[in-house]
Amino acid sequence: MDARLPLAELTRSVLRKVFPDHWSFLLGEIALYSFVVLLLTGVYLTFFFDPSMDEQVYRGSYEPLQGVLMTRAFDSTLRISFDVRGGLLVRQMHHWAAIVFVAAIGVHMLRVFLTGAFRRPRELNWTIGVTLFLLALLEGFAGYSLPDDLLSGTGLRIAQGIMLSVPVVGTYLGMLVFGGEFPGEDIVPRLYALHILLVPGLLVALVTVHVLLVFVLKHTQWPGRGRTGRNVVGLPFFPNYVAKSGGLFLAVAGVLAVLGGAAQVNPIWVYGPYRPDLVSTGSQPDWYIGFLEGALRLVPGVETRVWGHTVNWNPLLTAVVLPGLLFAVLYAYPYFERWITPGPGERHLCDRPRDRPVRTGLAVGALSCYAVLLVAGGQDIAAFVFDVPVAAVTWTLRVAFLVLPAAAFWTTRRLCLALQAREAAELAGGTESGLVVQGVEGGFHPQHRALSADERHAVLVRERPPPLPAGPEPAAGAGRLRPRLGLRRLALRTRSALSAWYYADRVRYPATPGQRRTVEDILAGPDRRPPADGA
């Protein structure tokens, strides 16, 4: 077989590929294996689901809905849940896998962001990851809208309102997507094609490219003895990592099977079929869409009449501008940090979050903002449970949305600097040993021990880029060159100011010149020449 299909040379290097052995690198694999479960369960469900909006009277085995007029999409979902052997288990596994898939992508992206694993040469892989996250949100929304129940129909009605809020073209956009006036008869078949063909195909293609880039660019790793920016220390892909990763796949599939069998999710028979004149009480979308729901509830309803067009600011700002800004920032951030960071070299060692106070503070501030919006998505339920007025809850969350991110950023940045200061003190005077000695004068003195070699290595091996200098002012020109020189001067000043804000706050660790040269040698990537005496 090797003579006819000579793959031995190709597979030998792949099978011996080394992967770092750390639990945080498995978060992306949880997303991958949840996606595999999604594909397997989704194929099973396609045999029984009917994506038609033609109406018929229900004659199935669920007695409370006997004789109720519903679409064939809702009827087939009920048949999967109550009449197909194993249908409810597979359907709930599919839904739980979607929830875990999006959550794992989000946590994996957070790990990459906090450790700086998006830096050169991995900017493209970060871009692919953000695109995967966006497609996962779209895929989840399309899938949860397919049963045409009262909850998903309410979500589609909100989506149509968001489309209508787009100035000038909103009406045409809504008519194009729904095939006419809401709800029309085309939206479920179109979402079905999107859900089982287009978006999964894009996901499979991008996941493949994402994994291939990880193989080609090699994995980032945490600093440790023997680990540098020019090697990878860990387990070989075969057989060690294959066995470990295979066990993780079985664990993920098993947990999803337990959740599908024991934890009820999306009970559409409780909601009933969709009717445009009804809205379910206490309706909540899946968690990954909850922040949009919360934003819709927090922004006041304000309209503006401009040039004969009505601009509805509530859905426009919250569901068009806010997501657009979110993903624009995610796409642009690696290039922004590279722009304000001195040195264009590659980075293959992970940052500790405490060593990047501003980056970590930005992440925590964004998470606090998301948490406020998620809570706001259920502000009516919170008001009911705690027996407080809905208006009071809404205004409290509005204030928290403006104040909490800034407070979280400042607190996180100060905590990171405090952790750095503690480590600097431990490097100089040792760490507490837990022993207290009484002196001859009767006083008590805590005993300290020097940090071990591994502990000192983990603390000292960190990149400390200085802020960019202000740089020389561009030479003044005459005539038509002055506006261009003015823009260049403004860009240089903005860049140096942002770099100073980003990198000015840092704690200097006590280290000898030799130790600093050693750290520079360890951090140097394959494209950066280490100092001659840095070994």
Side-chain angles (χ1 to χ4, degrees), residues 280-358:
S280 58
T281 302
S283 60
Q284 304 293 317
D286 281 339
W287 72 269
Y288 46 85
I289 306 294
F291 77 101
L292 290 179
E293 175 84 10
L296 285 168
R297 298 188 184 197
L298 289 187
V299 175
V302 179
E303 294 182 354
T304 303
R305 189 77 174 172
V306 180
W307 297 323
H309 297 277
T310 301
V311 179
N312 193 336
W313 294 105
N314 178 292
L316 180 63
L317 291 177
T318 58
V320 179
V321 177
L322 176 64
L325 288 176
L326 169 64
F327 282 96
V329 170
L330 290 176
Y331 278 118
Y333 187 85
Y335 307 97
F336 163 76
E337 185 169 310
R338 182 178 175 182
W339 183 56
I340 64 172
T341 302
E346 296 181 1
R347 271 78 173 179
H348 296 284
L349 292 179
C350 294
D351 289 331
R352 295 186 307 165
R354 69 183 63 182
D355 293 332
R356 290 290 187 271
V358 174

Side-chain angles (χ1 to χ4, degrees), residues 1-76:
M1 186 174 182
D2 182 61
R4 292 163 177 79
L5 194 64
L7 297 178
E9 292 299 324
L10 177 63
T11 57
R12 185 177 295 113
S13 60
V14 173
L15 294 179
R16 300 305 296 174
K17 182 75 173 180
V18 175
F19 283 82
D21 186 22
H22 193 272
W23 66 266
S24 63
F25 300 130
L26 300 178
L27 296 172
E29 295 191 24
I30 294 176
L32 174 63
Y33 296 142
S34 300
F35 182 56
V36 173
V37 175
L38 273 172
L39 292 177
L40 296 176
T41 55
V43 169
Y44 182 83
L45 295 175
T46 55
F47 293 128
F48 307 101
F49 181 72
D50 185 357
S52 173
M53 298 188 72
D54 295 338
E55 292 186 330
Q56 64 183 34
V57 177
Y58 180 68
R59 301 299 182 191
S61 60
Y62 185 67
E63 292 294 335
L65 291 179
Q66 284 287 344
V68 175
L69 189 66
M70 61 184 63
T71 61
R72 296 177 65 179
F74 189 82
D75 177 84
S76 62

